[in-house]
Amino acid sequence: MKPEVFCFSAYVALLSFACVGTTQAADSKLEKAVRDADAEWSKVAVAKDLDKTVAFYADDAVILPPNQPAVTNKDGIRNLWKGFLDSFIDISWKTARVEVAKSGDMAVLTGTYEMTMKDGSKDKGKYCEVWQKKADGKWKVGMDMFSSDLPAQSSSSPGPGAAERK
Amino acid sequence: MKPEVFCFSAYVALLSFACVGTTQAADSKLEKAVRDADAEWSKVAVAKDLDKTVAFYADDAVILPPNQPAVTNKDGIRNLWKGFLDSFIDISWKTARVEVAKSGDMAVLTGTYEMTMKDGSKDKGKYCEVWQKKADGKWKVGMDMFSSDLPAQSSSSPGPGAAERK
């Protein structure tokens, strides 16, 4: 083997080893970054800061709320969240599972939420959020879907479960 | 520059160029593979083949159905789908958007469904599916969430929208 070929092979081998060795650490770091972003999002929603809450969505984000069609534009997302913030006294959500793509540009979070409405009713349910890592390194929500765990209630008779909102 | 250093630099430059050049083609190929898998899944569901339908889920898959807690195990997924297959006459779903992680191991599909129930009622809604590329190269569904677009109906008064099922 020529020295330069050997050097190149050794370099590639070393690089491969380094990549394998850091994959898990990188995964943990990425998972933490997304969990932190999600926790920050939760905080601004609890604080009812509409501007900061909707700023977590990517420009091309979609929300898939129950009992209405998908919301696919910024004004729609803002109106939806305005309605949420006007309706609840308290909200909290907790991410149970995070899955990050190997390339570190996409993450799927699933978890559960609890909410107390202004009329005293309570709701609880689950959600799936798809986060995208943007060119500037910031994580943004590209898809947000949620639904109540409670039995369906007619929308003409409000009560627990009628408010299927995160 | 020494010849071996130049050769190595040229190799890396060529490799980088080749990677950029094939990214879009690889994306299209991956997107097609997931779309094809989803279309195949739709076919076996329409054919009411329970075994083949649930075989599309990954071992650790979760379903997040409306008005009930998350389903997080194989028996639960099978029972849920048995209920669906027993309830509808016809189902169809159409994926509108596919997003594939750069690493090609994760894809998010969003789209709409339509369903006609045995009692003649109809439902329509939207879904999000997260697919994972497994070690054997096969795509499996890791997360499946869906909800009706129709106004909520009390589960004690069946009608359109009561059947919030994909």
Side-chain angles (χ1 to χ4, degrees), chain A residues 65 67-68 103 126 148 164, chain B residues 65 67-68 103 126 148 150 164:
Chain A
N67 305 116
Q68 57 177 290
S103 43
K126 64 274 168 200
S148 178
E164 290 179 313
Chain B
N67 305 117
Q68 58 177 290
S103 42
K126 65 274 169 200
S148 178
L150 305 180
E164 292 180 311

Side-chain angles (χ1 to χ4, degrees), chain B residues 32-154:
Chain B
K32 186 180 180 304
V34 187
R35 280 188 183 272
D36 286 352
D38 189 50
E40 184 60 29
W41 192 26
S42 171
K43 272 188 205 165
V44 298
V46 169
K48 301 202 174 195
D49 188 323
L50 181 58
D51 286 342
K52 285 188 181 171
T53 302
V54 298
F56 274 82
Y57 288 96
D59 288 343
D60 61 348
V62 292
I63 303 183
L64 308 185
N67 305 117
Q68 58 177 290
V71 178
T72 57
N73 62 70
K74 285 197 160 190
D75 285 348
I77 288 174
R78 191 177 178 86
N79 288 338
L80 193 72
W81 267 101
K82 189 175 184 317
F84 295 169
L85 301 184
D86 287 346
S87 307
F88 68 73
I89 296 172
D90 193 33
I91 190 172
S92 66
W93 69 81
K94 193 178 175 181
T95 292
R97 196 155 101 169
V98 178
E99 285 176 275
V100 186
K102 282 178 188 162
S103 42
D105 57 334
M106 183 186 280
V108 176
L109 278 64
T110 47
T112 53
Y113 72 83
E114 289 189 355
M115 193 162 52
T116 305
M117 311 307 292
K118 281 187 178 167
D119 67 4
S121 65
K122 287 176 183 289
D123 186 26
K124 62 175 185 171
K126 65 274 169 200
Y127 62 84
C128 174
E129 305 160 0
V130 179
W131 290 70
Q132 308 160 344
K133 194 175 183 182
K134 296 297 178 187
D136 63 0
K138 283 189 182 159
W139 285 93
K140 294 277 182 175
V141 180
M143 196 293 305
D144 183 21
M145 191 167 192
F146 47 92
S147 68
S148 178
D149 289 351
L150 305 180
Q153 298 280 332
S154 169

Side-chain angles (χ1 to χ4, degrees), chain A residues 17-32:
Chain A
F17 181 77
C19 286
V20 171
T22 57
T23 298
Q24 283 205 321
D27 281 357
S28 303
K29 202 176 162 187
L30 284 168
E31 180 176 330
K32 187 179 179 306

Side-chain angles (χ1 to χ4, degrees), chain A residues 134-151:
Chain A
K134 296 298 177 185
D136 64 359
K138 283 190 183 159
W139 285 92
K140 294 278 181 175
V141 179
M143 196 293 305
D144 183 20
M145 191 168 193
F146 47 92
S147 68
S148 178
D149 289 353
L150 305 181

